[in-house]
Amino acid sequence: MLDLASSAGPHATPLSGGALAGTRIERIETQIVDIPTVRQHKLSSLSTTQQNYVLVRVRTADGVEGVGEAATLGGPRWSEESVEGIKATIDTYLAPAIIGMEAAGFEAVGRTLAEAAKRNNAAKAAIESALFDAVGKTLGIPASALLGGAVRDRIRVLWTLASGDPEQEVAEAEKKLAERKHNIFKVKIGAKPAAEDMARLRRIAAALEGRAELIVDANQAWSETTALRCFDEMDEMGIALVEQPLPAWDVAGMARLRARTRVPIMADEAIFSEHDAFVVGQAAAADVVSLKLVKHGGLLGTRRVAAVAEAAGIGLYGGCLLESSVGAAAHLQVFAALPRLDWHCEHFGPQILKDDLVTAPLRFEDFHILLPQGPGLGITLDEDKVARYARG
Ligand code: MUC
Ligand code: MG
C-alpha cells in the first residue's frame, strides 16, 4: 500500500487528478489582525476589548487562494496559544511541512501537521480551514459539501452577556430580543465571588423570565463545593446549561457534580481531542460538549470529537472563540453538516466586533445565523479591512 503522508513528507504523491490536479499547495502566508470589540468582554480569568486573529492564506498551484482564521481570547490565557505563537508555529514548522502537498488531501495534510508539531490546534485549524476554502473554491462547492453535505442552512444562535454589569447586560439582552437576533443568552461568570454572580444572574433571569433562555459559563472558576451550592440556586432560576464549572482537569469532579444536579453540564476546556471526549464520556462527566475548531484542530477534528461525544450520549453545541466572519464561516460549514446539533450555536463573534474582515458579513435573522452560500467557506476577504486591522 502506498502511504501518502508520513514518508512522502513535503512532496506527497498527488491524491487525485481531474479538477483537483491544481490544488498542490504553493504558498502559505500568515498575518496577525486585531479588531476592537464593541464593549469589554469579561471571563473568569481574563478581560478583553479587542480580538486577535491569525489569518492564513493558502495559495494553490492553479492560483486559488483559500483563507482560514485562528482566534484567541486574551492572549494565551483561554488556551495556551497566542496569535504571536500561532504565526511563528505556522511560518516555521507547519507551512514548510505541507508545501507541495495536495490541498485536497485533508487527512494526509493533517497527519503531516501532527508530525510537524504537537497540539497547536488553533494553528492547525486555521490551515485546514484555508484548505477547505481553497478546495471548495476549486470545485465550486461549499466546504460543507466536502463534509457530507449540509443538513441545515441556519442555526439558532445565542449571545453572550459578559460586561459583568447586570444592568448593562439586561439592557443589552433587551436590545437583542427586540432586534430578533438572540433569545438565548450565555452569562459569563466566575470573575467575582460566587454569591455576587448568583445575585447578578437572579437579576438577569428575573428581567428576562419567560422571554429568553439562560445558560452560564464559569470558565473553570469554581471548586466542587462552590459549584454544588450554586447549582441548586441555578436550578431554581431555571438556568438551562452550565458550561465548564470546574477546572478542565477535574473530570471526576464534573462527574460527581453531574450525579448530584438536574442542571445539564457542558464540557468546554475539558474536551480538546477525541481522546478527551472519550474520557469525559466514560466518566459520565458531561451532558453536552462545546465544539470549537481551535480546540479540535480543524473541521475534521471537530467531526471526530462530535462522533465520539455522540457515541457517549453527549449532546453537541456549536462553540466559538469570538471569531470574525472568516472563522465563524468555517465553523458553520462543519456545524451545518453534523447530523445533529441539539444545543444550537454561539457564533455571535462577528456582531461583537466593531468591524469585520469580509465583504459580506454573516447574516443573523430571526434568532438564527445563516450558513453563508457560495464556494469554500462562503466568504470573501475585504482587503481594505484586512490592511486596516493588520498588526504593524
Ligand atoms: C468560552 O469559554 O466559551 C465563547 C463565548 C464567550 O463569551 O467566550 C468564549 C469562550
Ligand atoms: Mg466556554
Side-chain angles (χ1 to χ4, degrees):
M1 190 182 75
L2 177 63
D3 193 323
L4 295 171
S6 56
S7 60
H11 300 291
T13 309
L15 290 169
S16 39
L20 292 173
T23 69
R24 185 176 287 272
I25 301 167
E26 268 197 2
R27 200 168 69 216
I28 300 180
E29 286 171 353
T30 56
Q31 194 173 18
I32 295 177
V33 291
D34 305 305
I35 310 183
T37 54
V38 294
R39 62 147 164 78
Q40 185 179 49
H41 203 74
K42 237 170 128 175
L43 277 66
S44 65
S45 63
L46 66 97
S47 175
T48 186
T49 52
Q50 70 165 9
Q51 271 301 95
N52 317 111
Y53 307 106
V54 177
L55 268 188
V56 176
R57 299 171 196 250
V58 171
R59 183 166 285 270
T60 63
D62 57 11
V64 173
E65 182 177 277
V67 188
E69 173 188 285
T72 60
L73 195 50
R77 286 186 291 171
W78 187 88
S79 75
E80 66 275 30
E81 288 179 273
S82 64
V83 283
E84 298 80 7
I86 291 168
K87 181 170 172 23
T89 301
I90 294 175
D91 293 348
T92 314
Y93 300 104
L94 299 178
I98 60 169
I99 295 292
M101 293 184 77
E102 282 227 6
F106 303 115
E107 293 287 7
V109 168
R111 203 166 67 171
T112 303
L113 292 177
E115 286 166 3
K118 294 258 185 290
R119 289 175 65 97
N120 285 284
N121 297 324
K124 291 171 184 170
I127 292 175
E128 201 206 56
S129 301
L131 298 182
F132 270 92
D133 192 35
V135 175
K137 283 174 174 163
T138 301
L139 296 175
I141 58 171
S144 59
L146 297 163
L147 294 161
V151 296
R152 57 186 72 80
D153 68 357
R154 62 198 56 215
I155 303 171
R156 205 165 156 206
V157 61
L158 57 78
W159 177 263
T160 297
L161 302 170
S163 73
D165 168 4
E167 301 315 315
Q168 185 280 339
E169 288 169 339
V170 168
E172 192 172 285
E174 290 290 4
K175 186 163 181 290
K176 299 296 175 192
L177 281 168
E179 292 169 348
R180 295 187 64 79
K181 277 199 178 147
H182 308 274
N183 58 5
I184 314 176
F185 298 99
K186 163 157 132 179
V187 184
K188 297 299 256 188
I189 56 174
K192 297 235 172 98
E196 275 183 57
D197 272 338
M198 290 304 106
R200 176 176 155 229
L201 261 187
R202 273 192 194 285
R203 166 75 185 103
I204 299 169
L208 303 179
E209 195 179 352
R211 295 183 297 138
E213 249 174 73
L214 285 185
I215 73 171
V216 301
D217 187 358
N219 282 109
Q220 318 187 55
W222 288 340
S223 67
E224 202 173 327
T225 43
T226 302
L228 257 183
R229 221 172 37 240
C230 293
F231 265 80
D232 287 344
E233 282 193 58
M234 291 189 294
D235 192 10
E236 267 173 49
M237 289 183 232
I239 300 300
L241 185 65
V242 177
E243 181 172 345
Q244 203 61 55
L246 304 187
W249 55 263
D250 198 0
V251 173
M254 294 239 294
R256 285 190 294 269
L257 201 54
R258 183 165 174 261
R260 293 175 65 176
T261 178
R262 294 192 313 179
V263 187
I265 294 178
M266 177 150 75
D268 186 9
E269 291 92 326
I271 297 183
F272 271 56
S273 68
E274 59 266 43
H275 312 293
D276 296 336
F278 186 74
V279 169
V280 169
Q282 258 190 332
D287 300 279
V288 185
V289 57
S290 177
L291 300 170
K292 298 180 182 175
L293 298 194
V294 292
K295 294 194 297 176
H296 315 316
L299 294 87
L300 295 179
T302 298
R303 288 229 312 205
R304 282 194 293 271
V305 170
V308 174
E310 275 208 294
I314 297 174
L316 307 180
Y317 170 97
C320 84
L321 209 60
L322 278 64
E323 283 81 3
S324 79
S325 284
V326 178
H331 281 83
L332 294 181
Q333 294 293 338
V334 63
F335 293 163
L338 290 172
R340 300 194 59 163
L341 189 67
D342 292 342
W343 291 84
H344 320 298
C345 89
E346 62 176 21
H347 274 277
F348 62 91
Q351 300 270 309
I352 203 158
L353 300 175
K354 280 199 174 143
D355 210 343
D356 210 331
L357 297 170
V358 295
T359 51
L362 297 184
R363 287 173 53 208
F364 291 76
E365 214 177 86
D366 220 16
F367 309 114
H368 289 72
I369 185 167
L370 274 50
L371 177 69
Q373 301 301 312
L377 301 186
I379 43 97
T380 305
L381 278 184
D382 180 328
E383 296 297 350
D384 290 340
K385 298 255 177 91
V386 173
R388 187 176 320 154
Y389 295 106
R391 191 178 289 184

